[in-house]
Amino acid sequence: MRTMAISPQSPPSSSSALPPPSVALTQDDLKRIAAYKAVEYVRSGMVLGLGTGSTARHAVDRIAELLRRGELSGIVGVPTSTQTHQQALALGIPLSDLDAHPSLDLAIDGADEVDSHLNLVKGRGGSLLREKMVEGVCKKFVVIVDESKLVPYLGGSGLAMPVEVVPFCWKFTAGRLRQLFEDAGCTAKLRTFPETEKPFVTDNGNYIVDLYFKKDIGDLKAASDAILRLAGVVEHGMFLDMATTVIVAGKLGVEVLDK
């Protein structure tokens, strides 16, 4: 794994930019720095997977800016969610889908957790199925995060590891998911809107059961297989051996981690 550190005082060549070095960087500043670095991998004529979430939004904005300025051309985007589709459409990025482009040159997206092997947890924004479909067929998958997303093991942040499930008998499916990881102190909760307590519904019409772990779940591939064997499960938020590059923005600079 190759590591390259870049000072935040050496921003991308654009004028759009980043706060001057004397200004304290916010978490959103760090996300934008990582996103702009990731867009340096984009070349004219590419078919791109466009990620979803607060970090990926900066990358989509940046791609659109470079298209407007004529620094990129011939780009086709494949969005990973309705939200990103709407954003890219409003910005004038030409769009397509996997039916027309079953293989993509590059995808750029954020992540909720990254371990030392560049395995990821994604999907806390609810788009894990489409993200995995798109990012699974990319020649290069660049992940952009701030340093708070680095964890010793997946689930190590104590935050959700999402599983998309069909609505039919979701409680039954949630119970089976919890039982799979009893040894890791797992709890399984249906994702709901706090204001109404109505279930969150994905772009695919499914529910999300969020798993929370108190301990390391161990063999990730075995865990993945066990989850996917459960009838009622559509997909989970572990993205294993998929990222080719992770760009981490921190207070001291940008670190580029290559597989």
Side-chain angles (χ1 to χ4, degrees):
M1 183 186 296
R2 182 175 66 86
T3 301
M4 178 171 64
I6 303 166
S7 166
Q9 298 185 19
S10 304
S13 56
S14 159
S15 56
S16 318
L18 305 174
S22 58
V23 175
L25 296 175
T26 66
Q27 187 177 35
D28 194 59
D29 290 332
L30 296 177
K31 290 177 179 181
R32 188 166 69 256
I33 290 168
Y36 280 30
K37 181 65 185 173
V39 174
E40 293 178 11
Y41 288 85
V42 178
R43 297 291 179 266
S44 292
M46 280 187 166
V47 181
L48 302 176
L50 304 177
T52 297
S54 59
T55 308
R57 171 173 283 276
H58 289 304
V60 175
D61 285 341
R62 176 67 170 155
I63 291 165
E65 178 190 352
L66 294 178
L67 284 169
R68 285 194 304 271
R69 289 165 41 180
E71 295 181 34
L72 287 175
S73 62
I75 295 295
V76 175
V78 177
T80 55
S81 66
T82 300
Q83 178 187 62
T84 300
H85 183 278
Q86 292 170 344
Q87 179 196 5
L89 206 60
L91 292 169
I93 299 174
L95 298 178
S96 190
D97 58 29
L98 293 178
D99 290 335
H101 297 279
S103 177
L104 280 63
D105 297 299
L106 170 70
I108 299 173
D109 205 353
D112 302 306
E113 292 185 356
V114 181
D115 74 7
S116 60
H117 302 288
L118 307 191
N119 294 312
L120 318 171
V121 168
K122 291 177 49 57
R124 289 180 190 153
S127 302
L128 59 145
L129 175 60
R130 296 190 189 188
E131 288 173 340
K132 193 169 284 190
M133 290 176 67
V134 170
E135 290 151 10
V137 295
C138 292
K139 296 171 186 173
K140 187 172 184 65
F141 177 26
V142 178
V143 177
I144 45 180
V145 296
D146 66 82
E147 59 191 352
S148 71
K149 301 304 189 331
L150 302 180
V151 294
Y153 58 86
L154 294 194
S157 69
L159 301 176
M161 198 282 280
V163 180
E164 187 162 344
V165 303
V166 297
F168 176 73
C169 293
W170 68 264
K171 289 182 182 177
F172 170 75
T173 306
R176 296 189 74 192
L177 286 165
R178 182 188 56 77
Q179 289 171 1
L180 278 180
F181 301 106
E182 273 186 320
D183 290 346
C186 178
T187 57
K189 298 179 181 179
L190 180 70
R191 186 177 299 183
T192 59
F193 292 101
E195 312 81 32
T196 63
E197 296 190 357
K198 289 184 178 179
F200 174 91
V201 179
T202 70
D203 286 342
N204 317 298
N206 297 314
Y207 289 172
I208 288 183
V209 172
D210 287 320
L211 304 183
Y212 299 87
F213 306 110
K214 294 181 179 176
K215 300 177 185 175
D216 189 342
I217 62 174
D219 187 326
L220 296 177
K221 290 186 178 178
S224 169
D225 290 344
I227 292 171
L228 294 175
R229 278 197 299 267
L230 294 180
V233 166
V234 179
E235 189 52 88
H236 60 70
M238 290 186 290
F239 284 51
L240 308 180
D241 296 323
M242 290 179 61
T244 54
T245 298
V246 175
I247 298 174
V248 185
K251 301 292 185 184
L252 300 179
V254 174
E255 193 173 17
V256 179
L257 308 174
D258 286 323
K259 203 77 167 196

